[in-house]
Amino acid sequence: MRADPSDYKLVSPGNLQAVVSLLANEPAQWLPIAGGTDVMVLYSAGKLPNRKLINIWNISELRQIEVLPDRIRIGAACTYTALRGHEIVSREFPLLAMAASWTGGIANQNRGTLGGNIANASPAADSLPALLVYDAELTLISVRGERQVPYRTFHTAYKKTALAADELIRDISLPRKFSGHFSHTRKVGARNAQAISKVCLAALGQILDGVVRDARLALGSVAPVPVRLKETEQLLIGNKIERSSINAVRESVMNEIRPIDDIRSTARYRSAVAANLVAEFLEKLSAEGTSA
Ligand SMILES: Cc1cc2nc3c(=O)[nH]c(=O)nc-3n(C[C@H](O)[C@H](O)[C@H](O)COP(=O)(O)OP(=O)(O)OC[C@H]3O[C@@H](n4cnc5c(N)ncnc54)[C@H](O)[C@@H]3O)c2cc1C
């Protein structure tokens, strides 16, 4: 056995206040566990540094999706299954619903949570490009109170986040302002199911009178953190999508990313695929995304 259960302590306080109190009383000692789909992989490999775990799976506040007039608020412990099955998420935030549908297999989707995907901070995490293009905002909670952090500033470096040792992600807010956009997402992995992304794109766009009015592009697995392609977006906005400009767009995509060689892929392949995915999005946007 690579990990002995008797070396670990698991508590299940069942309410948020008790969880944040434990986190505050012994900073960096307690590790929250939601669905456990990342934590248990480390545990069974004998690589889990923490010996004290707090269960947050059974805290009802973290499991709700609240629909407000201007945004939806997703509890951090909502599962991929809950996201996929939610009417407003599917209709207004299809990039997130799609990412949920291809995260692991069904068993994984029944346990894995959005908060866990964010806190685990993998650059290959599938929900994160969608959170970037939807301008997600995180609510972090501790005994000191709560604070709002734009998701785009949360992942600060490879596997590093803005979360303090005594904080928990409570919810993820998405403004309800993108339902008129054309959306497109692609995950490229070794196979269709149960594969970690080699490259993952989430994209939104709007065309009016033949001109790109808005373009929002984000990629996963091509840099130490998921990236928004701001320069490429600026190249597109205010212009028509023309065959002659696609090469400049491809080049811009490749300039904005920092892919690496690893066991799943090479930097060269990732660059080429990232450019292809954006080019594919533009083709579809130009054919199907015209709103007037
Ligand atoms: C077979 C398999 C396939 C997978 N496939 C994919 C895939 O295709 N795409 C993908 O992106 N991921 C995949 N994963 C990874 C994993 O399922 C996701 O990252 C999942 O979202 C993690 O959520 P969880 O609730 O299980 O996290 P946990 O394992 O419970 O926690 C993960 C980390 O997040 C922290 N954490 C959890 N919730 C909070 C919170 N509210 N506040 C602060 N910290 C918190 C924990 O302390 C821990 O450090 C896969 C995993 C497995 C085992």
Side-chain angles (χ1 to χ4, degrees), residues 31-41 56-57 62 76-77 80 99 102-105 108 111-120 124-127 163 167-170 187 194-197:
L31 184 73
I33 175 168
T37 60
D38 283 315
V39 169
M40 293 310 287
V41 172
I56 58 168
W57 175 258
L62 300 181
Y80 296 110
W102 59 44
T103 296
N108 196 73
R111 289 292 303 188
T113 66
L114 186 56
N117 204 225
I118 298 168
N120 190 54
D126 284 315
S127 66
L163 196 70
E167 283 179 318
L168 204 64
I169 304 171
R170 195 188 65 193
K187 167 174 175 163
Q194 295 277 29
I196 299 175
S197 293

Side-chain angles (χ1 to χ4, degrees), residues 197-217:
S197 293
K198 294 173 194 248
V199 182
C200 177
L201 168 80
L204 292 174
Q206 256 184 340
I207 291 193
L208 206 61
D209 300 328
V211 171
V212 177
R213 294 289 169 208
D214 197 13
R216 304 170 74 86
L217 308 166

